Amino acid sequence: MSIPGDDRDNGTALDAKASLTAGADYWSTAAPPDLGIRSIRMADGPHGLRVQDDDNPDHLGLGRSLPATCFPPAVTLASTWDPALIRQVGEALGREALSQGVDVVLGPGINIKRSPLCGRNFEYYSEDPLLAGRLASAMVAGLQSQGVAACVKHFAVNNQETDRLRVSADVDERALREIYLRAFEVVVREADPWTVMSAYNRINGVPASENFWLLTELLRGEWGFAGAVVSDWGAVRDSVAAVEAGLDVRMPGPPPDTRVAAAVANGSLSEEVVEKVAARLRLLAERIAASRPAAAEMDEEAHHQVTRRAASQGAVLLHNDAGLLPVDPSRERSIAVIGELARTPRYQGAGSSAVNPRRLVTGLEALQSRLDGVTDVTFSPGYAEEGDADADTLVKDAVALAADSSLVLIFLGLPPAAEAEGRDRTSIELPANQVELLRAVAAVNPRVVVALSNGSPVTTAGWRNTAGAIVEFWLTGQAHGETIADVLLGEVNPSGKLTETVPVRLEDTPSYLNFPGEHGHVRYGEGIYVGYRWYDARAIDVDYPFGHGLSYTTFDYSDLEVTVRELEDPVAFTIALTITNSGSREGAEVVQVYVGDHSGALQMPVRELRGFAKVRLPAGASERVTLDIRRDDLQHVHPEAGWIFTGGEMEVCVGSSSRDLRLRALVDVPGHAYELPLTLWSPFREWLAHPVAGPAVRRLIDERGGVRGRMGDLLGDPVGRDSVLGNPMLALSQFPGFPINEADAEAVLAGLGGGS
Ligand code: GLC
């Protein structure tokens, strides 16, 4: 393509740059000759490499991929609440990517867990955006420290799998910014990801991958993102609109996308847009090269140990009322291991994130090898995950074994088909056959420990009391058996905490009436009240609250001090408290800080997570913990003024979960008053309160003999006064006796300089 009057062969160069806007093949970007931009290779996924041979690619993990370390999925990593540990996983994942020639790892996924039914919640971090952002930032930093780009996804508001390529997430501005975009904003501002993946869905009717406000005005303009945006696979409908909106590469390729080149040629798409794509891909290649370590050692064993550490730190001890845990096998006559999941483990989710693990140890194998020579370990499947096995016989055999054992370790959870990319759940219950088995087993042996394997919450409300202890292992990654044995036998003291509320009933969930939507739309009717924000605002009992997780030791909280900082300081206040390990063994606690904004500036959640720290202490030890709470992290979105923090009374709560708050303080924190632009539609009280417009209006009213007629009567009446003060100026100007007309008001606004 040549452009008339251009004496260089510019057409070739422009064609070449335009060709960058579509993948060269299923996993790579184009590398047109003479541009000096190399092809960039991408691969899933967030918790392990899924590199497939290029002749049989797919984006749902259906095809086999090269063996790789299967790290714990996000649900488990996040439950560690440990950024340093997550960074280590990111570093290891980056080294694995280098070893397989991958430049961009397509993760982390940080979409907010709006409903426990979302089929990909296993792949996401939390219902809370600050927590998701802080933890995912560690993953990004770990990956990119190895010269491998992270690709934060799916930008944005992709909170369900149902109809995901078409559905419009219809969400108000405040919920959009405070909840669904906030985690992405934290990651972009704090970890500087080199790529972002645009989502399949629409946002308020506009496709995310063709959304100028999202990809250019917000991501680049407001947040300062300098990286490249790639689309989700198959997300782009109109490639010219997408590139114009700020997308860099439509994936997958081929076919090459001639539409962009044609649009540049006919002038409907500016050359500058294509030049920017080339510049951003060039920068991506340069960043990768600049951060690449000299030698990328690939230590499989070390990566396996990182997986094991992360999985065991992500296990959440939900309850241990009977003190059955940790198990001391030397005191057990015989242990029954019951449940097909002990033999056929569930350790990751299904879909594009699926990894072909280098190794996998089942829970049964790990327990048998650990307890060999210590006590008898006998297995019974108890239920079949699929197929029409003889359920009665399975239960009968398991019950007989339980009756004849001193302790039962029962493995329950969700079958692979229950939660996967491309589909959502319809229930938060465990499979009925598993609950029936549990009840039958507990009827003959009261010493029952439940080990759960699932990627999103299952309510225990209907059966919790039949179990002496419950550990939520989520999805452990390949170090499955070791992790379960480590925790149940007490080699590791569990310290995981829930990053997603476990509800009692599906009907209690915030999105219950609006999930997954219908006829191409899903209304985010709950607004900002997602997760614990909802349950706390409605005082709804939950099965287990956000932030919950027990330990084999106990922790005491004392001596809270809150030091409020000056307004100029980016830190609003510093919290100091003493945490003591008051139990008998070493352990780690996640100290959580929740703040309730009592300023009255906006309708507010009861309290919100504003800081956290994981503290590891030997038995009997204490530590003075301090946390800085940033003023930016206390902001909320005003419909007209945007992000505001007006300051005022704040309730600061510190505790072991969102509902186990041990220390509280009320403090007054300085903030910034916000000015709303004065308009004809501003209420009369705002006109009177305005520093310039107020005196001008009062002068006019005095010069014209005051407010007369009905408005004058109402103003003089203590009950009616408010109704006048709340009326917009434009409305009042139409009432007889009100001495200011529209032209007067316009003149006052003009005197303010632009009507503000
Ligand atoms: C999938 C997923 C995305 C994945 C991509 C490539 O559809 O939505 O997370 O990275 O395609 O497999």
Side-chain angles (χ1 to χ4, degrees):
M1 170 205 68
S2 63
I3 296 176
D6 185 300
D7 54 358
R8 290 171 299 139
D9 184 3
N10 192 27
T12 312
L14 265 181
D15 266 347
K17 287 170 186 167
S19 72
L20 291 169
T21 62
D25 59 35
Y26 204 84
W27 295 111
S28 305
T29 61
D34 309 329
L35 276 190
I37 300 172
R38 72 175 181 85
S39 174
I40 306 279
R41 183 163 178 81
M42 306 179 221
D44 290 316
H47 53 265
L49 267 291
R50 183 173 73 87
V51 175
Q52 295 175 318
D53 69 76
D54 288 340
D55 300 332
N56 304 290
D58 77 82
H59 70 308
L60 283 175
L62 305 175
R64 294 295 283 172
S65 52
L66 295 177
T69 300
C70 181
F71 297 96
V75 60
T76 313
L77 287 182
S79 299
T80 68
W81 290 58
D82 186 340
L85 181 51
I86 293 172
R87 179 182 170 118
Q88 288 175 24
V89 173
E91 289 166 356
L93 179 54
R95 287 192 292 272
E96 300 239 346
L98 293 179
S99 73
Q100 298 195 12
V102 171
D103 300 307
V104 179
V105 167
L106 300 173
I110 62 171
N111 293 101
I112 290 300
K113 305 191 187 198
R114 174 178 179 247
S115 167
L117 297 177
C118 175
R120 285 181 90 171
N121 272 8
F122 70 87
E123 215 175 320
Y124 300 149
Y125 281 70
S126 180
E127 68 191 28
D128 180 88
L130 186 65
L131 181 62
R134 288 274 146 81
L135 297 180
S137 291
M139 173 58 73
V140 169
L143 274 169
Q144 297 186 164
S145 70
Q146 303 304 308
V148 174
C151 185
V152 187
K153 68 186 185 180
H154 307 85
F155 191 55
V157 208
N158 180 187
N159 308 102
Q160 66 188 57
E161 292 302 290
T162 306
D163 199 19
R164 64 175 176 159
L165 277 93
R166 299 183 312 161
V167 75
S168 173
D170 298 341
V171 51
D172 68 85
E173 171 100 13
R174 183 175 181 193
L176 188 56
R177 284 181 172 273
E178 282 188 29
I179 304 295
Y180 297 101
L181 295 172
R182 183 71 181 124
F184 288 95
E185 181 179 15
V186 170
V187 175
V188 167
R189 290 184 189 280
E190 298 185 8
D192 187 18
W194 298 342
T195 68
V196 161
M197 181 189 291
S198 59
Y200 281 129
N201 54 282
R202 292 179 291 149
I203 304 170
N204 295 324
V206 181
S209 299
E210 299 163 27
N211 194 318
F212 184 78
W213 172 78
L214 185 77
L215 303 182
T216 295
E217 291 181 349
L218 180 78
L219 179 62
R220 295 190 166 111
E222 282 188 38
W223 297 351
F225 175 69
V229 179
V230 302
S231 76
D232 201 339
W233 268 237
V236 172
R237 300 157 179 77
D238 176 341
S239 55
V240 175
V243 172
E244 194 149 37
L247 182 85
D248 292 297
V249 187
R250 168 185 63 83
M251 293 304 287
D257 208 312
T258 54
R259 288 174 290 179
V260 172
V264 172
N266 68 30
S268 61
L269 179 66
S270 112
E271 290 180 31
E272 187 196 357
V273 170
V274 167
E275 297 289 352
K276 282 179 180 173
V277 170
R280 290 194 281 253
L281 289 176
R282 184 174 288 112
L283 172 64
L284 175 58
E286 287 163 0
R287 285 169 135 178
I288 288 169
S291 306
R292 195 138 283 188
E297 77 285 354
M298 199 9 242
D299 181 339
E300 289 182 20
E301 181 54 33
H303 292 180
H304 183 78
Q305 292 312 320
V306 167
T307 301
R308 178 175 175 178
R309 196 160 62 247
S312 58
Q313 296 292 328
V316 181
L317 177 56
L318 294 178
H319 101 75
N320 190 20
D321 294 1
L324 294 180
L325 292 177
V327 172
D328 176 355
S330 64
R331 300 163 63 109
E332 297 298 339
R333 172 172 49 79
S334 63
I335 293 179
V337 174
I338 292 174
E340 184 54 52
L341 283 169
R343 177 171 61 182
T344 315
R346 183 121 194 276
Y347 56 94
Q348 64 175 329
S352 62
S353 65
V355 178
N356 175 13
R358 295 192 201 286
R359 64 176 99 165
L360 181 62
V361 175
T362 70
L364 177 60
E365 289 163 342
L367 289 166
Q368 284 172 330
S369 67
R370 292 281 185 88
L371 301 182
D372 184 25
V374 178
T375 184
D376 288 342
V377 174
T378 312
F379 172 70
S380 182
Y383 56 84
E385 278 212 323
E386 270 121 20
D388 53 359
D390 178 351
D392 293 344
T393 303
L394 287 169
V395 171
K396 186 165 68 64
D397 293 349
V399 168
L401 174 62
D404 191 31
S405 304
S406 64
L407 177 72
V408 176
L409 306 181
I410 190 166
F411 286 65
L412 307 175
L414 294 180
E419 46 185 0
E421 178 174 345
R423 58 181 301 173
D424 295 317
R425 291 195 291 166
T426 54
S427 161
I428 57 171
E429 302 290 342
L430 276 178
N433 62 342
Q434 294 184 19
V435 177
E436 284 152 30
L437 171 69
L438 172 61
R439 289 205 174 99
V441 162
V444 300
N445 187 329
R447 304 182 76 242
V448 176
V449 173
V450 172
L452 286 174
S453 294
N454 43 288
S456 46
V458 291
T459 181
T460 72
W463 50 265
R464 179 190 323 132
N465 299 329
T466 60
I470 306 172
V471 182
E472 177 58 84
F473 284 98
W474 298 118
L475 301 175
T476 59
Q478 68 179 46
H480 181 76
E482 301 99 309
T483 297
I484 288 180
D486 286 347
V487 171
L488 295 186
L489 302 179
E491 319 254 323
V492 169
N493 183 358
S495 59
K497 297 279 187 178
L498 295 176
T499 68
E500 181 182 6
T501 304
V502 182
V504 171
R505 308 178 311 148
L506 181 59
E507 293 81 352
D508 297 338
T509 56
S511 55
Y512 178 64
L513 294 176
N514 288 302
F515 188 95
E518 58 179 358
H519 308 309
H521 287 269
V522 54
R523 276 177 298 281
Y524 282 45
E526 72 282 3
I528 61 172
Y529 296 95
V530 177
Y532 68 87
R533 289 174 169 84
W534 167 267
Y535 301 109
D536 290 352
R538 304 280 310 283
I540 294 174
D541 289 340
V542 295
D543 198 17
Y544 296 99
F546 175 84
H548 172 77
L550 302 176
S551 171
Y552 295 151
T553 187
T554 53
F555 294 96
D556 294 341
Y557 290 61
S558 60
D559 305 320
L560 174 64
E561 275 181 300
V562 182
T563 307
V564 176
R565 305 284 195 86
E566 295 301 316
L567 182 56
E568 297 65 41
D569 193 323
V571 173
F573 49 84
T574 296
I575 290 169
L577 72 136
T578 299
I579 181 96
T580 301
N581 180 340
S582 48
S584 58
R585 61 168 293 168
E586 183 264 2
E589 168 71 324
V590 178
V591 174
Q592 299 159 48
V593 180
Y594 296 88
V595 177
D597 184 321
H598 296 175
S599 67
L602 289 158
Q603 187 187 7
M604 298 288 186
V606 175
R607 61 183 67 86
E608 297 169 288
L609 181 77
R610 292 312 189 202
F612 62 92
K614 190 156 194 175
V615 182
R616 186 168 296 282
L617 289 171
S622 293
E623 182 174 320
R624 190 77 180 150
V625 179
T626 58
L627 295 102
D628 286 343
I629 305 301
R630 297 176 48 81
R631 212 176 302 277
D632 287 354
D633 289 339
L634 297 170
Q635 297 184 105
H636 294 90
V637 175
H638 184 285
E640 291 163 82
W643 285 103
I644 60 168
F645 176 67
T646 59
E649 181 182 278
M650 301 292 143
E651 183 193 39
V652 178
C653 301
V654 183
S656 188
S657 87
S658 60
R659 291 200 173 173
D660 179 7
L661 301 170
R662 310 285 183 83
L663 304 170
R664 293 169 192 268
L666 282 178
V667 291
D668 193 58
V669 181
H672 297 281
Y674 62 89
E675 287 279 309
L676 282 181
L678 202 65
T679 70
L680 291 175
W681 279 103
S682 302
F684 188 38
R685 68 165 55 84
E686 284 183 20
W687 278 77
L688 294 174
H690 192 280
V692 176
V697 163
R698 285 188 172 83
R699 193 168 43 252
L700 278 173
I701 289 173
D702 292 347
E703 286 165 1
R704 297 173 181 177
V707 180
R708 296 181 304 282
R710 182 173 165 209
M711 288 301 149
D713 299 343
L714 282 170
L715 266 178
D717 174 307
V719 175
R721 179 173 173 75
D722 259 359
S723 72
V724 179
L725 293 174
N727 272 359
M729 176 61 86
L730 190 60
L732 290 175
S733 67
Q734 297 161 33
F735 279 83
F738 191 78
I740 293 177
N741 61 29
E742 185 172 345
D744 299 325
E746 289 283 11
V748 171
L749 288 179
L752 303 182
S756 62

